[in-house]
Amino acid sequence: EGAEVVRLCREVYELSIRDKEADPISVLNLTPDTLQKVARAYTIFFQLINLAEQKEIIRANRTKPVRPESIRDTFRHLAEKGITADEMREILGKLEITPTLTAHPTEAKRRAVLDKLEAIALALVEWEREGTPYNLEHPLDSHGMAVSNLRRHLEVLWQTSEQNPWGMTVSDEVRNTLFYFERSIFRVASWLHRDIEKAWDECYPGNPGTLPPVLSYRSWVGGDRDGNPLVTAQVTEETLSDHKRVAFELYDKLLMRLEKEATQMPGPDGTSASDLMTKLRTTLRENPHHLAGEVARVDEWLQRNGAEVFATTGLFARLRRLVQAFGLVAARLDIREHSEQIGGFLAEVLATSGLVESPQAYIDLPEEAKVILLEKQLSEPRPLVNSWWRPSPSSEELRKLLILMRDSGDLTPCFIISMTHGVSDILETVLLCKEWGVIQFDGSQLRGSLDFVPLLETVDDLHRGPDLLRGLMSVQPYRAYLAQRDDRQEVMLGYSDSSKDGGFFAANWALHHALETLTQAAKELGIHLRFFHGRGGTVGRGGGRANKAILSQPPGAFDGHIRFTEQGEVVSFRYALRPIAHRHLEQIVSACLLVASESRDPSRVDPSWVEAASELAQVSEEVYRSLVKNSEEFLTFFTRATPISWIKHLSIASRPVMRPGRSLDRLEGLRAIPWNFAWVQSRYCLPGWFGLGSALQTYGEQGPDGLARLRAMAKGWPFFQTVLRNAELELLRAHPATFRLYGGLDGGTIHDQIQAEYERTVAMVLTVFGHGELLEAAPTVRRTVAFRNPLMMPLNVLQASLLGRLNEAPLDEQERWRPAMLQVMAGIAAAMQSTG
């Protein structure tokens, strides 16, 4: 771009540091085109900083003599505690860890950009190794090659568009998700299982035997219909086909390589290893459902015929592990639909059958009457409508989906019901699945392999969770269905909407309390619960370190089975580079091993701590709702002092920013991701802390024991400690000098209320922890944030200037500046490593 853009980048930086309230667009005469180039330069700058940090994380972990929270370290710890080989085998047999990639990949970088960043990372590593005398791949005179490669990749990165000009389709999302399976997940999953095998051999020598896989993957991408009209039955069918294709191509390539690598002489039976690999490839193509059994037989043959190293390391071991963990698809696909859509479809069915006068008559029934009607119909063998019947256009896609699920078998193992408020929401889904043959009525009871999963998303629904579970289990047809599925019920907990609904601490307490009370209810009912944690990327959506969240669960809430979402920019951060993915997953497996090996006493948490947490939740929710829901000024402030109105223009996801039929004149219709994204952009980071300071202060001022109890809770209760540490991180990421710029765009009193609560929360968190500064125990994180803050200021000053200029501007003026605004948003997202 020449020296002019470089000069402007430096001048914007100097101006923003010297005078944060200046308008650099006017001072520097920036046109939309030049502003976009300046913002793009800062965006790439932060992408490269992120890359360098990830590379350093990898280096630091590789150079540690003993890597804490690794599988090897955890095995050693448990063996030293006296866990025997039989006990460890039993623990591993119970583990079922299922990361689930969701259908909101709020990723501000295109796949093409991700490819270039990986190439730059590899070039950086190559540069550091340049001149190694033992490199067998480079010419004898290779000096300067690595720098040339680096410059070339940087040049192409600069010339690659940051945004998809045509927007994001569901098919794009599916391809992006499968890209991570091909890029890292398949390989890293094999590494994890190899880690377990090696740790087993080291800690329990002389105890051979096949160890079960503990890690598998699911996906929502292409199956999540909630609020996304673009996810049609055809899209879901194409997604399933793509998932099978990717797994087939992976195995086929491995077997082609193994055919060439297996050059051993024939064994005593005249069979050669190469012949066996060819036979496996034939099985993959002609009878894939027998592949796992054939791989096991080949493994046994190799070990029996002196090829143990060939069988247990390298390509064949990778094939064996992947077939065990993934089967014949990259990931099985969850289906998700909103309870209102499901209820509306069933209402049409019931009206057609004559059981109710009209669809609206069913919708208007009280909950108790709905449950009675649905329970009776679940015990009836006859169908409700003829096979040729068709519903309204709004329900037809759901009918087609049910037929696809019926024909897909266990490739769609789970139906998630968004916004589950009552038992009827679940029974409606079950009845529709019975009607279209996804599950069957065999003459006496329902049978099938589908999980029906309620999603509890609001604070109230989380509190009502145990009653929902008891009510569901009292429905005899459903209880009998669950009995033939080993009495296992999955429940999904929504972290995003609960936080948006009730605020940070109230949502965290509601989730923790729901884990505890649902676990107790399940024990009373004689069923097993698997919790599915709908965690987002930011702390305000349940983000933070997943292993710490696992370790801080209530006693008894984890029995070895766990699911959690991986979404948004978190996916690229955790899975773009294989060693980062390895570290992320080994910490999760380590935490699960530790919790699964413990028999913790539920009574060990001091009852006064539980009462204190309940009081804190009540106060924090009141403070949060008084600002967000009960203030007439708030919505105006939110739309003026954050870039929420511009987020819908970013081509980072196919799903609309608003729920269907809603607009920004009410916050209830706004999804949790853009809600968090807007606050991250303006550096308030409000969803990750607001209300906590008032709650801590109110409780601490109750008497001499108040503050002492809070300090004891922060020291001795993993849940409370984790919540406060997450808030501490968000308070550090928030930046008063920056968010003051945005607050000034409104001119009302809302900013002052937020500023006061921020200062109160910082003071109280430091008081409870006994620290002199935020994240005192994590100096590396402090340095990282401190390093980024002044470098981010130009982008925030530019964004605040644009908002001030465009908030009241005519549409044509807004359109002229839109590409520049979107580029600034992408830059801030890169700097904050978060899109919400």
Side-chain angles (χ1 to χ4, degrees):
E1 294 296 331
E4 179 64 13
V5 171
V6 177
R7 181 186 66 79
L8 286 171
C9 287
R10 289 175 174 160
E11 287 194 6
V12 168
Y13 173 78
E14 290 166 4
L15 180 64
S16 65
I17 295 301
R18 184 175 66 250
D19 183 5
K20 297 177 180 61
E21 298 184 7
D23 179 2
I25 301 172
S26 297
V27 173
L28 301 175
N29 297 315
L30 296 178
T31 65
D33 182 60
T34 56
L35 192 155
Q36 185 178 5
K37 289 178 180 178
V38 168
R40 176 125 175 80
Y42 275 97
T43 303
I44 291 178
F45 181 45
F46 279 110
Q47 288 172 354
L48 298 176
I49 287 172
N50 297 341
L51 201 65
E53 285 185 358
Q54 286 191 304
K55 184 169 153 294
E56 177 63 14
I57 290 169
I58 294 168
R59 186 203 63 77
N61 277 290
R62 279 210 172 117
T63 55
K64 290 175 181 175
V66 177
R67 195 166 64 251
E69 300 172 338
S70 67
I71 291 172
R72 182 186 185 193
D73 182 54
T74 305
F75 259 74
R76 282 180 173 179
H77 168 73
L78 294 177
E80 289 170 0
K81 278 181 60 178
I83 299 291
T84 67
D86 288 342
E87 290 170 333
M88 181 60 82
R89 197 185 297 275
E90 183 181 351
I91 290 168
L92 290 172
K94 289 194 303 183
L95 285 192
E96 190 175 304
I97 303 166
T98 312
T100 303
L101 277 66
T102 70
H104 350 294
T106 48
E107 171 56 71
K109 298 186 289 293
R110 290 174 59 200
R111 176 170 171 172
V113 173
L114 294 170
D115 283 334
K116 302 302 179 294
L117 290 171
E118 185 192 35
I120 290 167
L122 295 174
L124 279 171
V125 173
E126 193 62 43
W127 189 12
E128 289 183 352
R129 296 191 309 180
E130 191 173 62
T132 303
Y134 304 107
N135 192 314
L136 303 181
E137 298 180 357
H138 287 180
L140 293 175
D141 184 10
S142 59
H143 182 73
M145 284 182 63
V147 175
S148 295
N149 290 340
L150 190 55
R151 288 183 180 276
R152 183 176 69 257
H153 293 316
L154 285 167
E155 180 184 89
V156 175
L157 175 64
W158 175 259
Q159 295 171 350
T160 301
S161 174
E162 183 78 23
Q163 297 287 317
N164 260 327
W166 49 87
M168 180 74 76
T169 67
V170 180
S171 297
D172 291 331
E173 292 174 346
V174 172
R175 282 192 292 271
N176 284 354
T177 302
L178 289 173
F179 162 81
Y180 288 108
F181 280 92
E182 297 169 295
R183 167 71 61 84
S184 63
I185 289 174
F186 286 138
R187 182 66 66 87
V188 175
S190 175
W191 290 353
L192 260 292
H193 290 297
R194 182 190 62 181
D195 290 348
I196 292 172
E197 291 167 3
K198 290 175 68 176
W200 178 273
D201 290 341
E202 183 179 320
C203 295
Y204 302 105
N207 286 276
T210 302
L211 299 175
V214 302
L215 184 72
S216 62
Y217 275 79
R218 295 265 191 99
S219 177
W220 281 15
V221 188
D224 180 11
R225 301 167 54 83
D226 179 15
N228 193 343
L230 301 177
V231 181
T232 63
Q234 181 180 346
V235 164
T236 302
E237 184 175 14
E238 292 168 356
T239 300
L240 290 172
S241 178
D242 287 340
H243 280 220
K244 289 187 284 187
R245 174 187 54 77
V246 165
F248 173 87
E249 291 175 354
L250 168 72
Y251 298 150
D252 196 49
K253 288 175 183 176
L254 282 174
L255 286 166
M256 285 178 64
R257 293 173 63 188
L258 280 164
E259 282 179 329
K260 296 177 181 178
E261 188 177 294
T263 57
Q264 301 97 322
M265 292 181 289
D269 59 358
T271 304
S272 73
S274 182
D275 291 339
L276 291 173
M277 301 308 154
T278 302
K279 184 180 178 181
L280 281 177
R281 199 167 174 218
T282 302
T283 300
L284 173 66
R285 292 173 176 274
E286 298 179 0
N287 203 352
H289 289 286
H290 290 174
L291 181 64
E294 282 294 316
V295 169
R297 282 188 282 276
V298 171
D299 182 37
E300 182 184 345
W301 185 94
L302 290 169
Q303 304 218 35
R304 191 173 63 245
N305 286 277
E308 183 179 347
V309 176
F310 183 90
T312 57
T313 64
L315 294 180
F316 183 80
R318 188 192 308 172
L319 174 70
R320 171 175 51 77
R321 297 182 192 116
L322 291 176
V323 170
Q324 275 186 308
F326 293 92
L328 299 175
V329 290
R332 294 192 293 167
L333 194 66
D334 286 348
I335 302 299
R336 182 170 80 134
E337 182 57 280
H338 197 285
S339 58
E340 287 184 4
Q341 185 69 30
I342 295 166
F345 179 23
L346 183 65
E348 294 182 45
V349 173
L350 294 173
T352 302
S353 72
L355 289 170
V356 293
E357 292 182 0
S358 67
Q360 192 61 45
Y362 170 76
I363 292 170
D364 291 341
L365 283 176
E367 171 69 8
E368 184 178 352
K370 284 183 179 179
V371 171
I372 291 171
L373 186 155
L374 295 168
E375 181 172 8
K376 185 175 187 302
Q377 294 309 310
L378 286 172
S379 300
E380 292 286 345
R382 64 176 177 79
L384 292 167
V385 292
N386 293 317
S387 60
W388 47 261
W389 175 81
R390 296 294 180 270
S392 65
S394 63
S395 296
E396 174 62 7
E397 274 299 326
L398 185 48
R399 186 193 70 85
K400 290 179 180 178
L401 175 73
L402 292 169
I403 294 171
L404 175 63
M405 293 176 68
R406 178 194 68 196
D407 296 340
S408 299
D410 65 355
L411 296 183
T412 53
C414 174
F415 202 126
I416 298 164
I417 303 111
S418 291
M419 286 295 171
T420 299
H421 301 306
V423 172
S424 66
D425 294 324
I426 305 167
L427 298 184
E428 287 166 355
T429 313
V430 179
L431 184 54
L432 285 174
C433 287
K434 168 183 171 285
E435 184 71 15
W436 269 272
V438 185
I439 61 174
Q440 295 76 41
F441 189 85
D442 68 358
S444 60
Q445 71 172 69
L446 295 169
R447 295 189 179 277
S449 59
L450 186 68
D451 283 324
F452 295 95
V453 182
L455 171 49
L456 309 179
E457 298 183 77
T458 69
V459 171
D460 288 343
D461 285 336
L462 288 167
H463 287 315
R464 289 194 296 260
D467 289 338
L468 175 81
L469 202 60
R470 293 186 186 97
L472 184 60
M473 294 307 127
S474 71
V475 178
Q476 193 280 328
Y478 187 85
R479 186 66 186 84
Y481 176 79
L482 206 65
Q484 58 89 41
R485 300 194 78 303
D486 298 323
D487 288 318
R488 184 166 294 281
Q489 173 68 48
E490 185 170 303
V491 174
M492 184 172 183
L493 306 176
Y495 288 66
S496 301
D497 282 285
S498 60
S499 179
K500 177 173 171 280
D501 176 47
F504 172 70
F505 190 83
N508 274 274
W509 176 241
L511 287 157
H512 185 81
H513 192 59
L515 283 169
E516 193 165 29
T517 55
L518 283 165
T519 299
Q520 182 60 36
K523 186 177 179 181
E524 295 168 3
L525 294 164
I527 62 173
H528 307 286
L529 280 187
R530 172 165 72 177
F531 287 110
F532 183 3
H533 301 268
R535 295 162 56 86
T538 58
V539 165
R541 293 184 55 236
R545 289 180 57 185
N547 63 319
K548 295 299 183 186
I550 291 167
L551 292 169
S552 65
Q553 291 181 104
F558 175 71
D559 68 351
H561 292 238
I562 189 170
R563 292 182 67 194
F564 51 88
T565 51
E566 302 269 43
Q567 57 181 281
E569 70 288 342
V570 166
V571 175
S572 65
F573 180 82
R574 290 175 175 168
Y575 292 103
L577 298 178
R578 290 172 184 166
I580 295 290
H582 190 193
R583 181 60 176 157
H584 165 60
L585 291 172
E586 76 173 359
Q587 289 178 309
I588 288 172
V589 174
S590 168
C592 289
L593 283 169
L594 289 173
V595 177
S597 67
E598 293 178 356
S599 54
R600 297 188 290 174
D601 179 7
S603 66
R604 74 172 194 161
V605 177
D606 188 324
S608 69
W609 294 3
V610 175
E611 291 177 11
S614 182
E615 290 184 38
L616 291 169
Q618 182 179 348
V619 173
S620 67
E621 184 172 1
E622 289 172 357
V623 171
Y624 173 83
R625 290 190 169 182
S626 69
L627 176 81
V628 173
K629 299 195 172 184
N630 301 329
S631 170
E632 296 180 0
E633 301 175 47
F634 180 78
L635 188 59
T636 302
F637 171 84
F638 181 57
T639 54
R640 294 182 64 86
T642 75
I644 185 62
S645 301
W646 297 85
I647 288 174
K648 64 184 178 183
H649 298 299
L650 280 172
S651 56
I652 60 176
S654 68
R655 195 172 72 164
V657 166
M658 304 299 297
R659 294 192 181 276
R662 308 291 178 86
S663 62
L664 200 51
D665 59 350
R666 293 188 66 191
L667 286 176
E668 287 76 8
L670 179 66
R671 295 190 181 278
I673 291 173
W675 166 256
N676 280 268
F677 193 3
W679 291 114
V680 168
Q681 287 273 305
S682 57
R683 296 297 300 275
Y684 280 101
C685 301
L686 179 144
W689 55 266
F690 192 86
L692 176 62
S694 291
L696 292 173
Q697 185 181 68
T698 301
Y699 191 85
E701 291 175 348
Q702 287 183 1
D705 295 336
L707 183 57
R709 183 170 290 120
L710 291 175
R711 285 175 168 166
M713 290 162 63
K715 186 175 182 180
W717 192 5
F719 157 74
F720 193 66
Q721 184 182 84
T722 299
V723 170
L724 257 60
R725 282 182 174 166
N726 284 339
E728 195 176 18
L729 173 61
E730 288 303 278
L731 290 165
L732 185 67
R733 279 160 48 86
H735 195 237
T738 300
F739 64 63
R740 192 177 299 116
L741 297 174
Y742 294 82
L745 296 172
D746 176 59
T749 63
I750 297 294
H751 167 78
D752 294 337
Q753 295 177 49
I754 297 173
Q755 175 79 37
E757 181 66 10
Y758 174 83
E759 293 171 0
R760 184 181 299 115
T761 307
V762 170
M764 288 307 303
V765 168
L766 293 179
T767 299
V768 171
F769 274 137
H771 292 169
E773 55 187 3
L774 292 170
L775 285 183
E776 187 174 86
T780 301
V781 178
R782 283 189 57 81
R783 285 196 299 271
T784 298
V785 175
F787 170 71
R788 288 168 183 260
N789 279 338
L791 302 176
M792 279 187 65
M793 189 58 76
L795 289 169
N796 286 116
V797 168
L798 286 169
Q799 187 178 75
S801 298
L802 276 172
L803 288 174
R805 179 178 292 244
L806 300 175
N807 271 340
E808 308 297 337
L811 289 178
D812 60 338
E813 181 72 0
Q814 292 185 14
E815 192 63 28
R816 195 166 72 90
W817 287 93
R818 184 204 288 185
M821 173 64 91
L822 298 187
Q823 187 61 66
V824 171
M825 290 168 67
I828 296 173
M832 292 294 286
Q833 296 180 293
S834 176
T835 57

